[in-house]
Amino acid sequence: MSRPLSGWGRYPKIAPETLARPRSDAAVAEAMAKGPLIARGNGRSYGDSALSEGQVLDMTAFRHILSFDPQTGLVEAEAGVLLGDLIAAFLPLGFFPFVTPGTKLVTLGGAIAADVHGKNHLRDGSFGHHVAWIEIMTAEGEVLRCTRASNSGLFQQTIGGMGLTGVILRAGLTLRPVETGWIAQDMRPARDLAEAMAIFEEAAADADGPTYSVAWFDCLGQGAALGRSLVMLGDHARLEQLTPRRRARPFVTPEKRRLNVPLDAPGFALNRYTLRAFNGLYYRAGARKAGPSLVDWDSYFYPLDAIANWNRIYGRRGFAQFQCVLPLAEARPGLEELLAAISEAGQGSFLAVLKRLGPDTTAHSFPMEGYTLALDFPVTPAALALLDRLDKITLDHGGRFYLAKDSRLTAQTLHAADPRLATLAETRRSEGWDARFASAQSRRLQL
Amino acid sequence: MKDPVLILGGRSDIGLAIAHAFAAEGHPIQLAARNAQGLEVQGKDLSLRHRVEVSLHEFDALAPDSHEAFVTGLEPRPGVVVCAVGLLGDQQEDERDMAAAIRVMRTNFEGPASVLGHLANRFAAEGEGVIVGISSVAGDRGRGSNYIYGSAKAGFTAYLAGLRNRLAGDGVHVLTVKPGFVATAMTEGLDLPAPLTAQPEELGAAVLRAVAKRRNVIYTRPVWRLIMGVIRAIPEPVFKKLSI
Ligand SMILES: NC(=O)c1ccc[n+]([C@@H]2O[C@H](COP(=O)([O-])OP(=O)(O)OC[C@H]3O[C@@H](n4cnc5c(N)ncnc54)[C@H](OP(=O)(O)O)[C@@H]3O)[C@@H](O)[C@H]2O)c1
């Protein structure tokens, strides 16, 4: 028995029977022979995607960058390499990941397995769209190289497959050429949901519009302030947008001060009053900074990475993330219903994030054309009850759920929302993958 | 261009972490190990991340006859050498199997002493150089649970102290590193207390700092200096009855 592990939300905590840290393909195959397992990267999925009562395979020793081609931007690396490592290595050469989630502390393998998305899904799709190949340890214990052309079935299923199709060992990823390490941001305050959505839609309709768009939401706003938000539009800054001094060293950005949350916050530290005050402050501070500005890549994409262990602010019990996507046609009424339910319950969230997603072309990844809302809640009985309500609202509006955030959905809700996952489950059974690869989440959700 | 840094035991987790710390400062890296061509992935990773030259060198600590040629063959000359060669062994097995015990002692003391002896002579002749020896807190006092490894490390610690003393006037600096617990391949599977256990990256940063400041002896984590002070202070009549 190993010590208990958890995801980033610190809920649930599950001690695996065996925790192995392989350093070679052979060691992965050896672990597989011992029983079903789930690969784990840097533990940044929120719930139980990378947890198991059985065997957990810590892939962090697979941490080598293997090659880089500055002509094509193709980097080849082992699955445990962090996105942050790729940025550190290749931004100085003028390359940045095409797609990044809100933390750079995710592994390449994890980003593929969850097929993460960023603030530019509409423009650039999800992470998997930029993956050229994946080397997978299959259920048969063989190392198989999969691309869109060869072994394409396994390639497509592994993208967004939550580690349930095999162990991702290595992958090739195409990076985006950029001229600078800066983002030209345009911050737009929106007084309510309609205004925020109008900003998103205007940006979406313009083919030359901003690459990135995201809104920070105040979930505790009531009545007229329901959906009060800051919409942040952004583009990679071009060289001529920098001051001459910065232009000389376009990839050098200021070192950020690192903060840490050294201890669990006591349970009373976060309640609707402190949250309301915090959200109000944030909105007013943001509204003051409205308009265009240059922001360094780290502050723009990863503001929370600067606060180590920020997940501790929710206290010892941990927190649950909720992230759903609603189809475009249902987005407005669905979001209104979700926000009203949250506001009514008074279970606020530090971070409520709204993004516009583009059309989906994957086997079973989360995104679909529409709007995605993400929030987190401390794990309390009241919050869990609210989350059940939010599930129901999402289902009623034809939405679906993001497995990388989930720790508590029921199998019934999930399969009702996303019939594609029944196909995954069926393939797993017929191919015998379910006997090799299983997580606490896959068991709970009958995947 | 900055001086190359030579890592003896180039496959070791600690050695590689130190290599990354120096490479991040722009130092070329020379990785020396048995079966050196097997280190291609690690070498490529170092050079891609830090844009420095990395070379691989065949080296066996247990073949002292080869050490002189190994050292004279190093081109360009390393400015810093880090010896991270080591073998923990299995104390109980090594108590019964003297051949195994001797292997532990030779790997931790004789081999490192031999190769660093040659490097020390080269550095002394050239009038500059830094020698970093990774010893261990285990060498601070012999304990029933690991004295075979510990005695070899004690020998190595004394050897480094002697080198430092001998070379102080020759422009050659010697740093002794005494790690407590470190989470590496050597200690994998052992249940180590988290607050006393360093990650290899901590050693990388600590060694880089200590070399820059010309420190003589460092403990990592620093709390180990205190712990070993206490352990050394226990009178022998009491100590011999303890099970530690
Ligand atoms: N981990 C700890 O808790 C700890 C604590 C105190 C001190 N230390 C010391 O730190 C140093 C590095 O150890 P580590 O923790 O990084 O463990 P490690 O990964 O096991 O490193 C030991 C290295 O020594 C090399 N080696 C062994 N025999 C050799 C030989 N005959 N010729 C050349 N190389 C040889 C091994 O290379 P191969 O791969 O070729 O076998 C291996 O890379 C060692 O001196 C160790 O005693 C470690």
Side-chain angles (χ1 to χ4, degrees):
Chain A
M1 203 58 129
S2 145
R3 78 197 149 75
L5 297 174
S6 66
W8 187 240
R10 306 172 81 214
Y11 168 83
K13 297 186 169 77
I14 299 175
E17 189 62 42
T18 321
L19 175 63
R21 187 168 180 266
R23 288 167 178 266
S24 64
D25 294 0
V28 173
E30 223 168 88
M32 253 176 61
K34 289 187 196 141
L37 55 78
I38 189 70
R40 177 181 170 94
N42 201 31
R44 250 44 184 201
S45 63
Y46 283 74
D48 51 359
S49 310
L51 302 182
S52 174
E53 298 80 6
Q55 201 177 177
V56 172
L57 210 57
D58 173 349
M59 292 297 288
T60 53
F62 278 69
R63 57 170 178 200
H64 302 104
I65 302 176
L66 302 169
S67 76
F68 181 65
D69 181 349
Q71 298 305 314
T72 58
L74 181 73
V75 58
E76 306 186 302
E78 293 176 344
V81 167
L82 300 179
L83 239 46
D85 294 341
L86 296 181
I87 297 169
F90 303 118
L91 181 59
L93 302 180
F95 291 90
F96 198 81
F98 264 102
V99 172
T100 173
T103 169
K104 58 184 178 296
L105 303 175
V106 296
T107 62
L108 182 56
I112 294 171
D115 195 15
V116 297
H117 60 271
K119 305 169 180 176
N120 56 335
H121 185 266
L122 185 68
R123 306 278 178 223
D124 299 305
S126 51
F127 196 83
H129 286 94
H130 308 281
V131 173
W133 57 266
I134 312 173
E135 259 173 31
I136 300 167
M137 178 70 72
T138 65
E140 288 75 40
E142 285 165 19
V143 178
L144 199 63
R145 198 178 170 99
C146 306
T147 69
R148 285 188 177 74
S150 65
N151 303 311
S152 61
L154 189 55
F155 180 82
Q156 303 292 359
Q157 307 226 49
T158 298
I159 292 173
M162 300 309 286
L164 302 172
T165 63
V167 177
I168 299 172
L169 301 169
R170 287 168 285 275
L173 179 73
T174 306
L175 302 179
R176 172 205 304 274
V178 294
E179 291 183 19
T180 75
W182 297 84
I183 300 295
Q185 174 180 276
D186 183 9
M187 166 105 76
R188 308 260 196 94
R191 272 166 311 200
D192 56 25
L193 185 63
E195 228 178 87
M197 288 178 72
I199 298 172
F200 274 115
E201 289 310 316
E202 184 199 327
D206 179 358
D208 298 324
T211 307
Y212 301 105
S213 56
V214 60
W216 175 86
F217 249 74
D218 179 356
C219 282
L220 295 178
Q222 281 163 330
L226 183 74
R228 179 173 67 169
S229 57
L230 297 171
V231 188
M232 286 164 265
L233 307 174
D235 269 306
H236 289 279
R238 290 184 315 278
L239 209 50
E240 70 256 24
Q241 289 174 284
L242 302 191
T243 59
R245 205 168 54 92
R246 281 183 183 154
R247 213 174 297 159
R249 302 165 78 202
F251 300 111
V252 177
T253 50
E255 264 306 306
K256 284 214 293 182
R257 214 155 65 97
R258 305 275 149 204
L259 303 173
N260 190 10
V261 180
L263 293 172
D264 295 330
F268 59 79
L270 272 189
N271 58 42
R272 70 163 84 187
Y273 306 105
T274 52
L275 271 177
R276 187 165 287 153
F278 173 83
N279 289 358
L281 270 175
Y282 188 100
Y283 180 82
R284 281 191 293 277
R288 266 203 305 278
K289 279 189 294 192
S293 61
L294 278 182
V295 184
D296 70 88
W297 61 273
D298 207 3
S299 310
Y300 183 80
F301 290 105
Y302 314 113
L304 285 174
D305 284 352
I307 310 169
N309 302 311
W310 68 261
N311 53 349
R312 284 179 170 164
I313 59 173
Y314 287 97
R316 199 177 293 281
R317 273 179 308 206
F319 66 100
Q321 264 261 349
F322 174 85
Q323 183 166 358
C324 70
V325 54
L326 299 173
L328 208 48
E330 289 289 315
R332 179 79 189 277
L335 285 169
E336 268 167 7
E337 226 179 293
L338 288 169
L339 291 176
I342 294 160
S343 170
E344 201 175 292
Q347 302 287 329
S349 164
F350 259 122
L351 284 166
V353 174
L354 184 71
K355 293 186 300 256
R356 171 75 156 83
L357 302 183
D360 170 51
T361 54
T362 65
H364 37 231
S365 300
F366 162 71
M368 68 160 99
E369 173 129 49
Y371 280 83
T372 176
L373 181 70
L375 325 120
D376 36 49
F377 300 95
V379 177
T380 60
L384 290 173
L386 169 64
L387 286 164
D388 290 342
R389 255 189 91 190
L390 302 184
D391 290 353
K392 174 93 183 18
I393 297 171
T394 304
L395 256 186
D396 289 348
H397 290 275
R400 61 191 189 213
F401 304 94
Y402 194 11
L403 291 178
K405 302 284 181 81
D406 159 61
S407 56
R408 39 143 305 274
L409 278 172
T410 64
Q412 204 191 359
T413 307
L414 181 77
H415 288 283
D418 196 344
R420 302 171 309 164
L421 293 171
T423 316
L424 174 64
E426 185 42 50
T427 313
R428 272 168 52 72
R429 267 179 287 282
S430 62
E431 300 283 330
W433 300 346
D434 60 340
R436 295 288 188 206
F437 313 110
S439 61
Q441 184 177 54
S442 77
R443 294 193 184 95
R444 174 169 54 80
L445 296 176
Q446 295 163 20
L447 289 174
Chain B
M1 201 178 79
K2 294 200 176 178
D3 279 342
V5 174
L6 167 65
I7 310 285
L8 301 165
R11 192 171 287 109
S12 116
D13 287 337
I14 291 175
L16 278 169
I18 296 171
H20 276 279
F22 277 98
E25 299 292 309
H27 290 273
I29 301 294
Q30 301 170 330
L31 296 179
R34 297 180 289 198
N35 181 23
Q37 72 274 22
L39 281 173
E40 226 164 273
V41 163
Q42 287 85 343
K44 199 86 215 284
D45 178 61
L46 268 165
S47 70
L48 281 168
R49 283 178 195 252
H50 309 295
R51 288 173 291 282
V52 295
E53 292 271 339
V54 177
S55 55
L56 306 179
H57 305 263
E58 194 60 32
F59 165 72
D60 184 351
L62 291 177
D65 292 346
S66 67
H67 290 176
E68 187 171 7
F70 166 78
V71 168
T72 41
L74 287 169
E75 245 352 288
R77 84 174 274 285
V80 178
V81 53
V82 177
C83 181
V85 172
L87 177 62
L88 186 56
D90 177 327
Q91 169 70 27
Q92 277 165 22
E93 211 172 289
D94 299 347
E95 287 168 15
R96 290 187 295 272
D97 180 351
M98 282 315 146
I102 286 168
R103 194 177 174 80
V104 169
M105 294 189 268
R106 289 188 61 209
T107 304
N108 289 298
F109 181 29
E110 182 193 284
S114 158
V115 68
L116 292 186
H118 288 293
L119 275 154
N121 294 344
R122 179 169 175 181
F123 284 172
E126 292 164 345
E128 59 179 332
V130 176
I131 295 173
V132 180
I134 314 291
S135 190
S136 170
V137 296
D140 278 13
R141 189 165 192 177
R143 291 178 294 126
S145 58
N146 79 342
Y147 64 86
I148 294 172
Y149 172 78
S151 62
K153 287 295 193 186
F156 188 43
T157 299
Y159 186 86
L160 291 168
L163 271 187
R164 178 162 42 245
N165 182 217
R166 170 191 145 199
L167 299 172
D170 294 334
V172 180
H173 181 66
V174 179
L175 165 65
T176 307
V177 182
K178 295 185 183 178
F181 299 132
V182 191
T184 69
M186 187 175 272
T187 52
E188 212 149 73
L190 304 180
D191 192 18
L192 303 178
L196 298 180
T197 305
Q199 294 305 313
E201 293 70 32
E202 289 176 55
L203 267 91
V207 167
L208 186 69
R209 244 189 342 261
V211 166
K213 292 189 175 161
R214 302 244 143 187
R215 297 276 305 272
N216 298 312
V217 181
I218 61 166
Y219 284 77
T220 58
R221 299 185 161 168
V223 60
W224 281 96
R225 184 184 291 274
L226 204 82
I227 296 172
M228 296 320 292
V230 171
I231 287 182
R232 267 201 313 269
I234 301 172
E236 196 64 23
V238 179
F239 193 79
K240 72 175 181 188
K241 294 193 190 118
L242 300 178
S243 63
I244 57 172

